[in-house]
Amino acid sequence: MTTRIAMWSGPRNISTAMMRSFGARPDTVVVDEPLYAHYLAVTAIDHPGRDEILLSQPTRWQDVAAQLTGPLAGDPAVHYQKHMTHHLLPGIGRDWLGALTHAFLIRDPSHVVASYARVRGEPTLEDLGYPQQAEIYRAFGGPVVDAADVLRDPAGTLARLCAALGIAFDPAMLAWAPGPRATDGVWAPFWYASVQASTGFAPYNPAPVEVPDRLRPLVDAAQPYYDELARHRLQP
């Protein structure tokens, strides 16, 4: 029986590296941001590669939900779904989410905002997905891992995550071959250069980040949502 893991993360996290980690397992099939095309179709936001993304995935959330909960070729032991929390728009039904095993990848808002600001100058709280992540956690629960903990101790944190998900930890999750994957979204050329060059998780960098003064209120708005989930994060 396939364990269907929905990993919910905001942007500017280590979500793609985490997808690489699970994709290195021989018993796992991964899917990359399956609600992205629906998100772009509904919001009309102009992202890099927009036209290609809209052609690469279903734009109806009902079709995406059917794919994520329906039969899978080869019956893999694990189906890892990399989700962006802000892609779960208010108009998307929630009942189908009950068929999934949920997990949450969080990151300190100051780091997220500082990183995001370099890509998009004026992000909003909804862009960062913190309220949506809290909503999903409140409804379904599931293990929470902090990106900083993953980078500090990949083996220990991933072992705890796998145990909480009811699957065996595989040391193959700690390293992978560089390069693109057939499972990468068509947006990979715009965003995945560093991950495609990687062979494992990057070393943890404890240096503080500088958040532009104009975006400090955004960090303050996101902080309570982060703190709520951080209280439940897996720890040694």
Side-chain angles (χ1 to χ4, degrees):
M1 186 172 180
T2 300
T3 299
R4 301 171 189 262
I5 300 170
M7 177 63 82
W8 296 98
S9 169
R12 315 312 296 175
N13 209 321
I14 59 167
S15 58
T16 308
M18 187 68 82
M19 180 177 69
R20 280 287 189 274
S21 175
F22 273 85
R25 298 173 58 106
D27 64 350
T28 298
V29 171
V30 304
V31 59
D32 193 7
E33 300 183 28
L35 288 165
Y36 196 177
H38 172 76
Y39 171 78
L40 293 181
V42 171
T43 63
I45 291 175
D46 186 16
H47 277 195
R50 172 185 167 84
D51 292 342
E52 292 87 347
I53 295 168
L54 290 172
L55 290 173
S56 71
Q57 296 176 331
T59 56
R60 296 179 68 251
W61 69 261
Q62 295 91 337
D63 296 332
V64 177
Q67 289 182 354
L68 297 180
T69 60
L72 295 168
D75 293 324
V78 179
H79 187 219
Y80 183 87
Q81 304 170 12
K82 174 196 169 192
H83 287 288
M84 293 288 102
T85 55
H86 60 285
H87 290 173
L88 193 70
L89 296 170
I92 295 176
R94 301 307 201 245
D95 289 348
W96 63 279
L97 295 174
L100 307 177
T101 298
H102 299 274
F104 302 85
L105 177 62
I106 62 174
R107 190 184 186 196
D108 184 287
S110 61
H111 289 265
V112 172
V113 171
S115 178
Y116 201 95
R118 292 193 290 268
V119 178
R120 183 178 175 190
E122 301 297 330
T124 67
L125 188 60
E126 286 67 32
D127 290 332
L128 305 183
Y130 283 97
Q132 301 94 315
Q133 195 173 42
E135 175 211 338
I136 301 164
Y137 180 81
R138 292 166 189 165
F140 300 100
V144 178
V145 291
D146 194 303
D149 293 333
V150 176
L151 298 181
R152 287 190 192 99
D153 179 16
T157 305
L158 291 174
R160 290 188 289 274
L161 174 60
C162 289
L165 293 169
I167 61 175
F169 170 67
D170 188 333
M173 299 174 72
L174 301 176
W176 50 83
R181 302 288 189 275
T183 48
D184 289 347
V186 296
W187 53 90
F190 302 102
W191 303 106
Y192 289 1
S194 62
V195 169
Q196 290 183 353
S198 71
T199 57
F201 290 101
Y204 174 66
N205 181 1
V209 296
E210 292 189 12
V211 176
D213 288 342
R214 74 181 191 282
L215 295 178
R216 180 54 61 180
L218 180 58
V219 173
D220 295 339
Q223 195 69 45
Y225 297 105
Y226 168 80
D227 291 342
E228 178 182 344
L229 269 69
R231 286 193 292 270
H232 303 282
R233 77 186 194 277
L234 299 176
Q235 301 182 59

